[in-house]
Amino acid sequence: MNETDDTNTAQPGPRIEIRYCTQCRWLLRATWVAQELLTTFGTRVGEIALVPGTGGVFVVTVGDDVVWDRAEQHGFPEIPALKAAVRDRVAPGMPLGHTDRAAARAAE
Amino acid sequence: MNETDDTNTAQPGPRIEIRYCTQCRWLLRATWVAQELLTTFGTRVGEIALVPGTGGVFVVTVGDDVVWDRAEQHGFPEIPALKAAVRDRVAPGMPLGHTDRAAARAAE
């Protein structure tokens, strides 16, 4: 999938927030996740906010929904599953190609 | 400068917004600028929002202040000058080491 746009979206898409721990040096991981999501969803997303925090935090929120919380799920999100969770909120039904197949395998 | 924190900041720092053009493929440049600023200022910044747009936009805002607008200043911001502009709003007086010297030379 390359950077796709939906330039005639009247409404700006939802805000995605990636809260990450600076003490754990997770800035690069957080910006990598942001790049993956912005490459796939383009202007369907209103914005992705990188929020520096401390204490081992790594939380991804779409609108009001927490779609990943390291404290709950331990470790880091797999990109295919994360993209599927974002797609279901940002552009329901949007095909993600191999990402859908990878997410389906992971869910088996 | 490595990733510095001011973990005992009571108040969250200001919001920085980087609005970039998806049609021009400026996502990677926008996330690079975000990484540079987050590496330097850490938790002194409240958040950096990557905002996908169209039409050649590349605008960097700190709080309510536009510190770079491609439509006005043409081209892209130099990192030392941008860091100095952010420092003056986020952490006035914070030394930026070689960045300060580079920004001073650029301003000559």
Side-chain angles (χ1 to χ4, degrees):
Chain A
M1 294 292 294
N2 57 19
E3 197 164 339
T4 61
D5 296 316
D6 194 352
T7 36
N8 44 28
T9 23
Q11 271 294 339
R15 167 185 163 99
I16 295 178
E17 188 179 283
I18 303 175
R19 191 174 291 270
Y20 69 93
C21 174
T22 58
Q23 297 164 319
C24 314
R25 306 258 174 265
W26 286 342
L27 167 60
L28 298 186
R29 178 182 293 269
T31 40
W32 164 54
V33 170
Q35 284 177 323
E36 286 276 358
L37 297 177
L38 286 166
T39 297
T40 295
F41 297 105
T43 52
R44 290 181 181 83
V45 168
E47 64 179 50
I48 296 192
L50 297 165
V51 183
T54 54
V57 64
F58 197 89
V59 175
V60 182
T61 311
V62 180
D64 295 328
D65 296 350
V66 175
V67 295
W68 186 270
D69 181 347
R70 179 177 165 81
E72 304 283 330
Q73 288 139 298
H74 312 297
F76 296 98
E78 290 294 329
I79 289 293
L82 189 63
K83 282 185 180 179
V86 171
R87 181 265 320 274
D88 294 346
R89 291 165 175 81
V90 165
M94 173 183 166
L96 294 179
H98 65 83
T99 296
D100 275 329
R101 289 190 292 279
R105 275 196 307 272
E108 275 162 14
Chain B
M1 297 291 296
N2 58 20
E3 199 164 339
T4 62
D5 295 315
D6 196 351
T7 37
N8 44 28
T9 23
Q11 271 293 338
R15 167 184 162 98
I16 296 177
E17 189 178 282
I18 303 175
R19 191 175 290 271
Y20 68 94
C21 175
T22 57
Q23 297 162 320
C24 313
R25 306 259 174 264
W26 286 343
L27 166 62
L28 299 185
R29 179 182 293 269
T31 41
W32 165 53
V33 169
Q35 285 177 321
E36 285 277 357
L37 296 178
L38 285 166
T39 297
T40 295
F41 297 105
T43 52
R44 290 181 182 81
V45 168
E47 65 180 49
I48 296 191
L50 297 164
V51 182
T54 55
V57 65
F58 198 88
V59 174
V60 183
T61 311
V62 180
D64 295 328
D65 296 349
V66 175
V67 295
W68 187 270
D69 182 347
R70 179 178 166 81
E72 304 282 329
Q73 287 140 297
H74 312 298
F76 296 98
E78 290 293 328
I79 289 293
L82 188 63
K83 283 185 180 180
V86 170
R87 181 266 318 274
D88 294 346
R89 291 165 175 81
V90 165
M94 173 183 166
L96 294 180
H98 65 83
T99 297
D100 275 329
R101 290 189 292 278
R105 276 196 305 273
E108 276 161 12

